[in-house]
Amino acid sequence: MDQPSTKSYASALYSLITVFFFWGFLAASNGVFIPFCKTHFELTQFESQLIDFTFYGGYFIGSLILYFVSQLTKVDLLNKIGYKNGIIYGLLISTVGALAMVPAINNGHFAFILSAFFIVAVGFSLQQTAANPFVVALGPPESGSHRLNFAGGVNNFGGLLGPIIVSVVLFGSSRSDSTSTVSITSVNNLYFILAALFLAVALFYKFSNLPQINSTENVKPSTRSNAPLLFITLGFLMILVANPLEKLTSFSNAYFIYSALAIILLSIIYVLVAPKNNPESWGAMQYPQLVLGMLAIFTYVGVEVTVQSNMGALLKLPAFGGYADSDIKPFISLYWGSLMIGRWTGAISAFKLSKAAKNILTVVVPFIAFGIVLLFNHFSGTDVSNLYMYGVCVAVLVVAFFLGQEKPTRVLMIFGLLGVLAMITGLLTTGQVAIYAFLSGGLCCSIMFPSIFSLAVAGLGKYTSQGSAFLIMMILGGSIIPPVQGILADTAGIHISYIVPVICFAYITFFAVRVSGALKKQGIDMNSVEAAGGH
């Protein structure tokens, strides 16, 4: 695969990060949009989570289509067209989805709105499949996670603004507005603007001087990978038809939801333990770091999304403040802002700085980012005084970064353990302490995607693009885990349902430990060098 020159690295990276903003903006705005739709359409908690199911399911289906087209043509399609064109085509598909949202909203049928979300997400899947390995390829692989952290910081700046802007669009600047008087058609202008922005950025990329990173090298069909992917698709479809199946059979939809999760997990585990007598027939799945990473991305995206998607229902409980739908935006914004705080801090290593400067910035940057989160919420008319104590969680993040010493697997393990501890704390408490604990899951998630992604594609060579597609498929976790928690919330209660994030963080911790050994067996030691920024 052709690599860009060092000279082109900075300008190319700065151009790429614009699409990361869009992903964060829409994903985070769902945290406000979901409870609104639940009230507007009188949905159960499970049904409300179908927004995330559809949105993140679009990532899976989009990547699945890309994979099977490549299998049929016997040429890695994304490698052939190039990462730059992959991003452009993805933006155009998302433009269509954003425009489709307008008649869907005016029509007023929830199913049509879900369909428009799906189209936007299919475009996002192509963008992410191209953009993430593009960023990793813009320099040495051992510092790829730092570049992804930098891009992820922009992603989470979009995540910070998403809940605030969408909340203002839906509810206005007044906190006393009742959701019952809000018309969902007020979102129309937002999606017209998004469509225009998607199209404008596509044109920008078309005429920009981004380096061409592609390869026309033929890749043998990965026939052994097809069956596990089809079983994973079956699990995805089972959740889609869970409610209709409940009406046709004597089984509750919980039975189908949990069965779907089991099918997906067992399919990935099978790939991991199956004998690889003919490695080429497995394609990228012949590499254990990729398969372990697929499950890690599945659980990571699942936990990142489910913590905030179910937060609206949790905050309505008297023990957690009894907030109205129109009052939850500062908490959702702080959650996604927490990812921004962590990624801005992790991005420091992407720049060529002295050790002393890095240490100072590692302390200062997260609190600056925290201040920005508070400032934007303040400007939206929110009283942020009850959020000040969250600074304690930010201080813990700083300590975690120093303990990680810029080593990908160590940092991931520490943040995974902190995630487990935070979720357990939230389960054992109520009120402000529990809210802070659950929100700090955003801090713990902040560095996970870039760390997992760079570790999972390390050493894949010509299969890097295919491996990237598999990893983006596993964003499916954001489609599966929230409904799983939603169905548990409907049966056992929303508070106890947060046992689901505990399990997700526990696996990510295991991945951090296990992948290091898998890479070392291939002569790759991602922790042997402290990744220096700047190239």
Side-chain angles (χ1 to χ4, degrees):
M1 183 177 294
D2 300 329
Q3 295 289 341
S5 66
T6 301
K7 183 178 180 181
S8 67
Y9 157 66
S11 60
L13 179 60
Y14 299 149
S15 299
L16 274 174
I17 61 178
T18 54
V19 291
F20 284 75
F21 177 89
F22 291 135
W23 307 337
F25 183 95
L26 279 181
S29 65
N30 287 350
V32 172
F33 199 59
I34 286 171
F36 172 75
C37 285
K38 181 182 179 183
T39 301
H40 187 86
F41 292 102
E42 299 180 349
L43 308 173
T44 66
Q45 186 63 17
F46 165 72
E47 290 170 337
S48 72
Q49 297 306 298
L50 289 177
I51 290 178
D52 275 336
F53 171 79
T54 304
F55 186 75
Y56 292 96
Y59 279 91
F60 171 69
I61 296 299
S63 297
L64 195 68
I65 292 171
L66 181 65
Y67 168 76
F68 278 114
V69 168
S70 296
Q71 290 293 288
L72 291 173
T73 60
K74 298 183 180 180
V75 175
D76 190 309
L77 183 61
L78 187 56
N79 271 340
K80 185 175 182 178
I81 66 175
Y83 291 153
K84 174 181 173 179
N85 287 331
I87 295 171
I88 292 171
Y89 297 148
L91 283 164
L92 293 176
I93 293 171
S94 295
T95 301
V96 173
L99 290 174
M101 183 66 78
V102 176
I105 290 170
N106 290 337
N107 184 282
H109 287 290
F110 188 52
F112 291 166
I113 292 174
L114 293 179
S115 299
F117 264 119
F118 178 81
I119 296 171
V120 172
V122 168
F124 278 10
S125 73
L126 184 53
Q127 295 170 45
Q128 286 221 24
T129 304
N132 282 294
F134 203 162
V135 171
V136 172
L138 293 173
E142 67 270 14
S143 58
S145 63
H146 301 316
R147 289 189 294 280
L148 283 174
N149 265 324
F150 177 60
V154 177
N155 174 280
N156 295 121
F157 183 65
L160 164 64
L161 294 181
I164 295 173
I165 293 175
V166 172
S167 184
V168 170
V169 168
L170 290 177
F171 307 113
S173 59
S174 172
R175 297 176 59 195
S176 61
D177 289 346
S178 169
T179 58
S180 63
T181 62
V182 177
S183 172
I184 201 169
T185 58
S186 62
V187 192
N188 282 359
N189 288 338
L190 174 64
Y191 282 96
F192 274 130
I193 293 170
L194 280 174
L197 288 173
F198 289 151
L199 184 59
V201 175
L203 291 172
F204 167 76
Y205 279 131
K206 176 66 176 177
F207 298 106
S208 67
N209 292 320
L210 285 175
Q212 290 291 339
I213 301 180
N214 61 351
S215 172
T216 56
E217 179 181 4
N218 289 341
V219 177
K220 292 183 179 180
S222 308
T223 54
R224 297 294 299 275
S225 301
N226 295 343
L229 290 176
L230 290 175
F231 274 103
I232 291 171
T233 305
L234 174 63
F236 170 77
L237 294 175
M238 280 185 67
I239 292 184
L240 184 64
V241 298
N243 276 350
L245 287 175
E246 181 182 38
K247 296 175 182 177
L248 293 173
T249 67
S250 59
F251 298 106
S252 70
N253 61 359
Y255 174 83
F256 298 106
I257 301 302
Y258 295 138
S259 296
L261 179 63
I263 289 172
I264 292 169
L265 295 180
L266 289 174
S267 297
I268 298 174
I269 293 171
Y270 166 75
V271 175
L272 187 63
V273 301
K276 307 294 191 301
N277 297 325
N278 182 10
E280 288 290 318
S281 67
W282 286 94
M285 286 188 185
Q286 69 187 274
Y287 296 94
Q289 65 267 33
L290 187 277
V291 182
L292 289 165
M294 288 171 63
L295 188 52
I297 290 290
F298 180 88
T299 52
Y300 152 70
V301 178
V303 71
E304 178 190 81
V305 175
T306 198
V307 168
Q308 64 91 37
S309 292
N310 287 281
M311 184 68 68
L314 183 75
L315 293 173
K316 286 185 177 181
L317 298 179
F320 291 87
Y323 294 94
D325 288 341
S326 56
D327 295 328
I328 68 170
K329 72 174 184 288
F331 299 103
I332 302 300
S333 176
L334 179 58
Y335 177 78
W336 290 102
S338 295
L339 277 93
M340 183 187 78
I341 292 168
R343 286 183 178 171
W344 280 18
T345 309
I348 293 170
S349 295
F351 300 94
K352 191 173 183 179
L353 301 167
S354 67
K355 186 173 183 180
K358 284 184 180 181
N359 289 340
I360 293 171
L361 289 174
T362 299
V363 175
V364 173
V365 167
F367 286 99
I368 291 176
F370 179 44
I372 291 173
V373 174
L374 296 179
L375 193 63
F376 273 98
N377 277 283
H378 172 72
F379 286 156
S380 71
T382 300
D383 179 9
V384 296
S385 59
N386 64 333
L387 303 179
Y388 293 156
M389 286 301 296
Y390 192 71
V392 175
C393 299
V394 178
V396 174
L397 172 90
V398 173
V399 174
F401 269 107
F402 279 113
L403 292 175
Q405 299 178 358
E406 300 182 10
K407 300 181 185 297
T409 54
R410 183 184 298 181
V411 171
L412 187 60
M413 181 184 68
I414 290 172
F415 278 70
L417 288 172
L418 285 176
V420 172
L421 180 61
M423 296 302 106
I424 291 176
T425 300
L427 282 169
L428 298 178
T429 58
T430 56
Q432 205 70 17
V433 172
I435 292 173
Y436 282 164
F438 289 136
L439 290 177
S440 69
L443 295 172
C444 300
C445 285
S446 62
I447 55 83
M448 287 183 173
F449 185 89
S451 297
I452 295 169
F453 192 94
S454 59
L455 289 167
V457 299
L460 265 58
K462 65 182 181 181
Y463 292 107
T464 299
S465 180
Q466 185 186 92
S468 174
F470 288 154
L471 290 172
I472 300 304
M473 284 182 200
M474 291 300 100
I475 289 179
L476 177 69
S479 176
I480 305 298
I481 302 297
V484 168
Q485 184 174 350
I487 202 73
L488 182 60
D490 285 334
T491 55
I494 187 65
H495 190 190
I496 194 64
S497 73
Y498 273 81
I499 190 67
V500 173
V502 175
I503 298 170
C504 292
F505 278 123
Y507 173 75
I508 293 168
T509 305
F510 166 78
F511 167 78
V513 176
R514 180 70 179 83
V515 74
S516 180
L519 288 172
K520 284 181 179 178
K521 288 181 179 178
Q522 300 168 43
I524 304 170
D525 188 355
M526 298 291 282
N527 283 338
S528 63
V529 180
E530 285 194 13
H535 302 281

